[in-house]
Amino acid sequence: MEKKNIDWGNLGFAYMETDKRYVSEYKNGAWDDGALISDATVTMSECACVLQYAQTCFEGLKAYTTEDGRIVTFRPDLNAERMEASAKRLEMPVFPKDRFVDAVTQVVAANEAYVPPYGSGATLYLRPYMYGKNAVIGVKPADEFEFRVFCTPVGPYFKGGIKPLTIRVSDFDRAAPHGTGDIKAGLNYAMSLHAIVSAHKEGYDENMYLDPGTRTKVEETGGANFLFVTKDNKVVTPKSGSILPSITRRSLVYVAKEYLGLEVEEREIFFDEVKDFAECGLCGTAAVISPVGKIVNHGEEICLPSGMSEMGPVTKKLYETLTGIQMGRIEAPEGWIHVIK
């Protein structure tokens, strides 16, 4: 298929409407067959549950062209499982895992002309989401829901190359104890907006959130998990019941163990330990790993030994290995790469 006339090398990380999206309706206790449609607009009641009580969850993943010309996605089954957990927690019907993967496949295939070519640095970002659609004025779950998947071509998350970030310790809590921090609910991201806007105004790239119970342990940022590297090259990730289970972070942990032979530890990380780490990164779909060079806690600066000019050596090797797997340059573990075409 002929590609769209897009300047792939200069794409930003922003929405561009594409030709097709997938929609399935839930009514009377069952999902319909679902279909690809052309209309990018959503119509619902002014009293829809999603508008009144934020009953919605979402996922994010990418499709891309590999070195050998295939169009693939990365571990979409895990996105389906995570959305299932989100839906259950928010009293929403589960969209079946096999249908989730099929919907993603259909959307990518139908928008093949928007999948960026290999080597462009761009990818096709996919956004599956679900929301309560019918009118609800009393505080209760909706009865009717809609599951949708759209896609949009995006450029690299960091234009001009990856540079280490400066982040601050936030005075806000990302999630409540025993709350919704471990699911991908829209409401979690709404409450993070003020914190990220204020961080940017003060010259920081992101927030570091501490545990809401004691505010002594590292949790995550508004949209990414932390990964630390010790001075003896051990990879350490925070463990908490209110951290979102990042697919990228879980994949990096596997790569660290099985591909690079590194020791990996998932445990509670106290903020007092951060100054002793050699490297720090933020793990997520958009950028894979974003290196952190400096962490500021109310004026106190913690400068990571990896510095502010480039990724640390272990973080860089993790990044290169995982992106190599995704792009087909390195053999992937079984089941990680879902081939669309």
Side-chain angles (χ1 to χ4, degrees), residues 268-291:
E268 291 184 338
I269 297 175
F270 287 87
F271 179 73
D272 288 346
E273 298 179 66
V274 170
K275 66 183 184 301
D276 299 321
F277 289 118
E279 301 174 38
C280 173
L282 309 182
C283 315
T285 299
V288 182
I289 304 181
S290 309

Side-chain angles (χ1 to χ4, degrees), residues 10-322:
N10 288 307
L11 277 175
F13 202 86
Y15 173 75
M16 176 190 297
E17 185 179 323
T18 54
D19 294 340
K20 298 289 184 180
R21 65 274 311 134
Y22 179 94
V23 181
S24 181
E25 301 271 359
Y26 182 91
K27 291 183 179 180
N28 301 317
W31 290 104
D32 67 14
D33 291 338
L36 291 170
I37 65 170
S38 299
D39 189 0
T41 59
V42 174
T43 303
M44 68 181 81
S45 166
E46 63 183 352
C47 195
C49 191
V50 63
L51 301 178
Q52 305 308 314
Y53 304 120
Q55 193 181 22
T56 180
C57 60
F58 69 97
E59 279 297 322
L61 65 159
K62 291 178 175 179
Y64 38 85
T65 306
T66 61
E67 189 174 41
D68 60 4
R70 297 175 299 163
I71 295 175
V72 307
T73 59
F74 183 71
R75 310 189 78 177
D77 55 316
L78 296 190
N79 292 96
E81 290 173 6
R82 193 167 63 182
M83 179 169 265
E84 177 178 346
S86 298
K88 288 178 177 177
R89 179 66 175 82
L90 296 174
E91 289 296 327
M92 304 170 79
V94 170
F95 196 74
K97 179 177 174 179
D98 59 336
R99 291 194 58 190
F100 179 102
V101 175
D102 179 62
V104 165
T105 303
Q106 287 190 50
V107 169
V108 176
N111 293 287
E112 182 184 346
Y114 291 93
V115 180
Y118 175 78
S120 64
T123 55
L124 188 72
Y125 187 82
L126 290 133
R127 172 53 58 86
Y129 62 111
M130 187 194 304
Y131 56 91
K133 191 176 182 182
N134 61 292
V136 174
I137 196 65
V139 181
K140 63 179 181 179
D143 300 311
E144 298 176 3
F145 297 85
E146 196 161 89
F147 170 83
R148 299 174 72 103
V149 184
F150 69 81
C151 64
T152 184
V154 296
Y157 199 70
F158 295 107
K159 298 293 281 185
I162 299 171
K163 298 295 182 184
L165 309 177
T166 298
I167 65 175
R168 69 169 185 184
V169 176
S170 179
D171 290 328
F172 296 98
D173 291 331
R174 190 190 68 86
H178 313 295
T180 57
D182 61 335
I183 65 168
K184 208 165 175 67
L187 57 92
N188 292 350
Y189 295 80
M191 62 72 57
S192 75
L193 297 178
H194 175 66
I196 192 62
V197 168
S198 63
H200 288 165
K201 285 180 179 177
E202 294 177 18
Y204 300 104
D205 297 300
E206 250 295 359
N207 291 290
M208 171 184 279
Y209 291 104
L210 303 180
D211 74 291
T214 69
R215 296 191 58 80
T216 61
K217 292 171 281 190
V218 176
E219 291 241 308
E220 60 175 294
T221 69
N225 283 183
F226 278 104
L227 179 148
F228 295 96
V229 181
T230 66
K231 291 174 181 176
D232 58 355
N233 293 340
K234 179 191 293 185
V235 174
V236 185
T237 61
K239 184 176 184 179
S240 166
S242 56
I243 289 178
L244 186 74
S246 164
I247 294 163
T248 303
R249 189 257 303 159
R250 284 180 277 171
S251 301
L252 287 166
V253 163
Y254 183 92
V255 164
K257 288 180 183 176
E258 305 299 331
Y259 282 68
L260 304 182
L262 300 174
E263 186 178 351
V264 177
E265 188 176 17
E266 181 185 10
R267 61 170 174 81
E268 291 184 338
I269 297 175
F270 287 87
F271 179 73
D272 288 346
E273 298 179 66
V274 170
K275 66 183 184 301
D276 299 321
F277 289 118
E279 301 174 38
C280 173
L282 309 182
C283 315
T285 299
V288 182
I289 304 181
S290 309
V292 175
K294 184 187 296 183
I295 300 166
V296 181
N297 182 22
H298 299 89
E300 177 193 353
E301 293 188 354
I302 299 172
C303 298
L304 279 300
S306 51
M308 291 298 296
S309 60
E310 59 183 2
M311 279 188 172
V314 175
T315 306
K316 184 177 182 181
K317 192 65 177 175
L318 285 167
Y319 175 84
E320 290 175 344
T321 306
L322 185 58

